[in-house]
Amino acid sequence: MKELVEIIAKSLVDSPDEVVVIENENEKSIVLELHVAQSDMGKVIGKQGRIAKAIRSVVKAAASKYEKKVIVEIAQ
């Protein structure tokens, strides 16, 4: 999951070296914190959050075989 979010985010931003994904896992869910450069926040979120929603949809589809809820948080 972590690698999937990294690949998607790095392809969207101008500073791919500053993309960091932190994975926190517990019994029922996996939380992925996506950190990007301040100047790239708009590119990851998109207009009205459409790109962020698309990222979450792709990750949710990929995580369906793990039987855990996957949460993608975009942080500064």
Side-chain angles (χ1 to χ4, degrees), residues 1 22-32 66 68-69:
M1 294 285 102
I22 301 170
E23 183 175 11
N24 298 317
E25 187 172 350
N26 60 30
E27 293 176 9
K28 297 181 181 179
S29 65
I30 300 170
V31 179
L32 299 169
Y66 293 108
K68 287 188 175 186
K69 184 177 181 179

PDB file of all heavy atoms in Angstrom, residues 1 22-32 66 68-69:
ATOM      1  N   MET A   1       0.814  -1.184   0.000  1.00  0.00           N
ATOM      2  CA  MET A   1       0.000   0.000   0.000  1.00  0.00           C
ATOM      3  C   MET A   1       0.866   1.261   0.000  1.00  0.00           C
ATOM      4  O   MET A   1       0.589   2.190  -0.735  1.00  0.00           O
ATOM      5  CB  MET A   1      -0.895   0.025   1.235  1.00  0.00           C
ATOM      6  CG  MET A   1      -1.927  -1.054   1.294  1.00  0.00           C
ATOM      7  SD  MET A   1      -3.292  -0.770   0.196  1.00  0.00           S
ATOM      8  CE  MET A   1      -2.895  -1.847  -1.120  1.00  0.00           C
ATOM      9  N   ILE A  22       4.118   7.529   5.469  1.00  0.00           N
ATOM     10  CA  ILE A  22       4.292   6.833   6.745  1.00  0.00           C
ATOM     11  C   ILE A  22       3.098   5.904   6.934  1.00  0.00           C
ATOM     12  O   ILE A  22       1.951   6.336   6.840  1.00  0.00           O
ATOM     13  CB  ILE A  22       4.396   7.832   7.911  1.00  0.00           C
ATOM     14  CG1 ILE A  22       5.588   8.765   7.685  1.00  0.00           C
ATOM     15  CG2 ILE A  22       4.513   7.096   9.241  1.00  0.00           C
ATOM     16  CD1 ILE A  22       5.631   9.934   8.649  1.00  0.00           C
ATOM     17  N   GLU A  23       3.376   4.638   7.200  1.00  0.00           N
ATOM     18  CA  GLU A  23       2.326   3.632   7.345  1.00  0.00           C
ATOM     19  C   GLU A  23       2.189   3.233   8.812  1.00  0.00           C
ATOM     20  O   GLU A  23       3.159   2.830   9.448  1.00  0.00           O
ATOM     21  CB  GLU A  23       2.662   2.410   6.497  1.00  0.00           C
ATOM     22  CG  GLU A  23       1.617   1.347   6.514  1.00  0.00           C
ATOM     23  CD  GLU A  23       1.936   0.209   5.563  1.00  0.00           C
ATOM     24  OE1 GLU A  23       3.066   0.152   5.040  1.00  0.00           O
ATOM     25  OE2 GLU A  23       1.052  -0.622   5.351  1.00  0.00           O
ATOM     26  N   ASN A  24       0.983   3.371   9.334  1.00  0.00           N
ATOM     27  CA  ASN A  24       0.657   2.945  10.694  1.00  0.00           C
ATOM     28  C   ASN A  24      -0.443   1.897  10.594  1.00  0.00           C
ATOM     29  O   ASN A  24      -1.500   2.157  10.027  1.00  0.00           O
ATOM     30  CB  ASN A  24       0.176   4.126  11.545  1.00  0.00           C
ATOM     31  CG  ASN A  24       1.235   5.194  11.686  1.00  0.00           C
ATOM     32  OD1 ASN A  24       2.389   4.893  11.904  1.00  0.00           O
ATOM     33  ND2 ASN A  24       0.845   6.449  11.535  1.00  0.00           N
ATOM     34  N   GLU A  25      -0.191   0.728  11.167  1.00  0.00           N
ATOM     35  CA  GLU A  25      -1.147  -0.376  11.039  1.00  0.00           C
ATOM     36  C   GLU A  25      -1.596  -0.838  12.421  1.00  0.00           C
ATOM     37  O   GLU A  25      -0.796  -0.953  13.350  1.00  0.00           O
ATOM     38  CB  GLU A  25      -0.483  -1.526  10.294  1.00  0.00           C
ATOM     39  CG  GLU A  25      -1.413  -2.651   9.967  1.00  0.00           C
ATOM     40  CD  GLU A  25      -0.781  -3.690   9.056  1.00  0.00           C
ATOM     41  OE1 GLU A  25       0.314  -3.441   8.526  1.00  0.00           O
ATOM     42  OE2 GLU A  25      -1.399  -4.759   8.888  1.00  0.00           O
ATOM     43  N   ASN A  26      -2.897  -1.094  12.543  1.00  0.00           N
ATOM     44  CA  ASN A  26      -3.416  -1.719  13.755  1.00  0.00           C
ATOM     45  C   ASN A  26      -4.325  -2.871  13.331  1.00  0.00           C
ATOM     46  O   ASN A  26      -4.309  -3.274  12.172  1.00  0.00           O
ATOM     47  CB  ASN A  26      -4.118  -0.694  14.665  1.00  0.00           C
ATOM     48  CG  ASN A  26      -5.298  -0.022  14.000  1.00  0.00           C
ATOM     49  OD1 ASN A  26      -5.960  -0.593  13.158  1.00  0.00           O
ATOM     50  ND2 ASN A  26      -5.570   1.207  14.387  1.00  0.00           N
ATOM     51  N   GLU A  27      -5.104  -3.403  14.252  1.00  0.00           N
ATOM     52  CA  GLU A  27      -5.887  -4.608  13.977  1.00  0.00           C
ATOM     53  C   GLU A  27      -6.907  -4.432  12.855  1.00  0.00           C
ATOM     54  O   GLU A  27      -7.090  -5.320  12.042  1.00  0.00           O
ATOM     55  CB  GLU A  27      -6.623  -5.049  15.238  1.00  0.00           C
ATOM     56  CG  GLU A  27      -5.710  -5.518  16.339  1.00  0.00           C
ATOM     57  CD  GLU A  27      -6.468  -5.860  17.603  1.00  0.00           C
ATOM     58  OE1 GLU A  27      -7.717  -5.901  17.565  1.00  0.00           O
ATOM     59  OE2 GLU A  27      -5.814  -6.083  18.623  1.00  0.00           O
ATOM     60  N   LYS A  28      -7.579  -3.280  12.816  1.00  0.00           N
ATOM     61  CA  LYS A  28      -8.685  -3.101  11.882  1.00  0.00           C
ATOM     62  C   LYS A  28      -8.383  -2.199  10.695  1.00  0.00           C
ATOM     63  O   LYS A  28      -9.127  -2.210   9.726  1.00  0.00           O
ATOM     64  CB  LYS A  28      -9.893  -2.539  12.623  1.00  0.00           C
ATOM     65  CG  LYS A  28     -10.435  -3.459  13.680  1.00  0.00           C
ATOM     66  CD  LYS A  28     -11.635  -2.870  14.347  1.00  0.00           C
ATOM     67  CE  LYS A  28     -12.156  -3.787  15.438  1.00  0.00           C
ATOM     68  NZ  LYS A  28     -13.317  -3.209  16.121  1.00  0.00           N
ATOM     69  N   SER A  29      -7.319  -1.404  10.773  1.00  0.00           N
ATOM     70  CA  SER A  29      -7.098  -0.445   9.694  1.00  0.00           C
ATOM     71  C   SER A  29      -5.619  -0.174   9.456  1.00  0.00           C
ATOM     72  O   SER A  29      -4.773  -0.480  10.279  1.00  0.00           O
ATOM     73  CB  SER A  29      -7.813   0.876  10.013  1.00  0.00           C
ATOM     74  OG  SER A  29      -7.241   1.475  11.152  1.00  0.00           O
ATOM     75  N   ILE A  30      -5.367   0.420   8.302  1.00  0.00           N
ATOM     76  CA  ILE A  30      -4.035   0.882   7.931  1.00  0.00           C
ATOM     77  C   ILE A  30      -4.165   2.367   7.621  1.00  0.00           C
ATOM     78  O   ILE A  30      -5.007   2.763   6.810  1.00  0.00           O
ATOM     79  CB  ILE A  30      -3.509   0.139   6.683  1.00  0.00           C
ATOM     80  CG1 ILE A  30      -3.429  -1.364   6.954  1.00  0.00           C
ATOM     81  CG2 ILE A  30      -2.157   0.687   6.269  1.00  0.00           C
ATOM     82  CD1 ILE A  30      -3.142  -2.188   5.711  1.00  0.00           C
ATOM     83  N   VAL A  31      -3.354   3.180   8.280  1.00  0.00           N
ATOM     84  CA  VAL A  31      -3.371   4.621   8.043  1.00  0.00           C
ATOM     85  C   VAL A  31      -2.095   4.990   7.298  1.00  0.00           C
ATOM     86  O   VAL A  31      -0.993   4.698   7.754  1.00  0.00           O
ATOM     87  CB  VAL A  31      -3.468   5.407   9.371  1.00  0.00           C
ATOM     88  CG1 VAL A  31      -3.450   6.900   9.100  1.00  0.00           C
ATOM     89  CG2 VAL A  31      -4.718   5.022  10.136  1.00  0.00           C
ATOM     90  N   LEU A  32      -2.256   5.618   6.140  1.00  0.00           N
ATOM     91  CA  LEU A  32      -1.127   6.072   5.338  1.00  0.00           C
ATOM     92  C   LEU A  32      -1.102   7.593   5.363  1.00  0.00           C
ATOM     93  O   LEU A  32      -2.038   8.231   4.903  1.00  0.00           O
ATOM     94  CB  LEU A  32      -1.267   5.574   3.895  1.00  0.00           C
ATOM     95  CG  LEU A  32      -1.303   4.071   3.721  1.00  0.00           C
ATOM     96  CD1 LEU A  32      -1.719   3.715   2.306  1.00  0.00           C
ATOM     97  CD2 LEU A  32       0.034   3.467   4.032  1.00  0.00           C
ATOM     98  N   TYR A  66      -6.986  -7.298   1.546  1.00  0.00           N
ATOM     99  CA  TYR A  66      -6.422  -7.362   2.895  1.00  0.00           C
ATOM    100  C   TYR A  66      -7.484  -7.385   3.982  1.00  0.00           C
ATOM    101  O   TYR A  66      -7.178  -7.607   5.142  1.00  0.00           O
ATOM    102  CB  TYR A  66      -5.480  -6.181   3.140  1.00  0.00           C
ATOM    103  CG  TYR A  66      -4.239  -6.229   2.291  1.00  0.00           C
ATOM    104  CD1 TYR A  66      -4.064  -5.344   1.238  1.00  0.00           C
ATOM    105  CD2 TYR A  66      -3.247  -7.162   2.519  1.00  0.00           C
ATOM    106  CE1 TYR A  66      -2.929  -5.378   0.447  1.00  0.00           C
ATOM    107  CE2 TYR A  66      -2.103  -7.213   1.735  1.00  0.00           C
ATOM    108  CZ  TYR A  66      -1.962  -6.316   0.704  1.00  0.00           C
ATOM    109  OH  TYR A  66      -0.845  -6.365  -0.079  1.00  0.00           O
ATOM    110  N   LYS A  68      -8.936  -5.002   5.430  1.00  0.00           N
ATOM    111  CA  LYS A  68      -8.730  -3.939   6.407  1.00  0.00           C
ATOM    112  C   LYS A  68      -9.123  -2.615   5.769  1.00  0.00           C
ATOM    113  O   LYS A  68      -9.051  -2.457   4.558  1.00  0.00           O
ATOM    114  CB  LYS A  68      -7.263  -3.833   6.834  1.00  0.00           C
ATOM    115  CG  LYS A  68      -6.809  -4.960   7.730  1.00  0.00           C
ATOM    116  CD  LYS A  68      -5.439  -4.675   8.265  1.00  0.00           C
ATOM    117  CE  LYS A  68      -5.029  -5.749   9.257  1.00  0.00           C
ATOM    118  NZ  LYS A  68      -3.757  -5.416   9.910  1.00  0.00           N
ATOM    119  N   LYS A  69      -9.541  -1.696   6.600  1.00  0.00           N
ATOM    120  CA  LYS A  69      -9.870  -0.361   6.121  1.00  0.00           C
ATOM    121  C   LYS A  69      -8.571   0.421   5.942  1.00  0.00           C
ATOM    122  O   LYS A  69      -7.724   0.419   6.810  1.00  0.00           O
ATOM    123  CB  LYS A  69     -10.773   0.332   7.138  1.00  0.00           C
ATOM    124  CG  LYS A  69     -11.252   1.685   6.692  1.00  0.00           C
ATOM    125  CD  LYS A  69     -12.199   2.289   7.698  1.00  0.00           C
ATOM    126  CE  LYS A  69     -12.689   3.627   7.232  1.00  0.00           C
ATOM    127  NZ  LYS A  69     -13.623   4.226   8.177  1.00  0.00           N
TER     128      LYS A  69
END
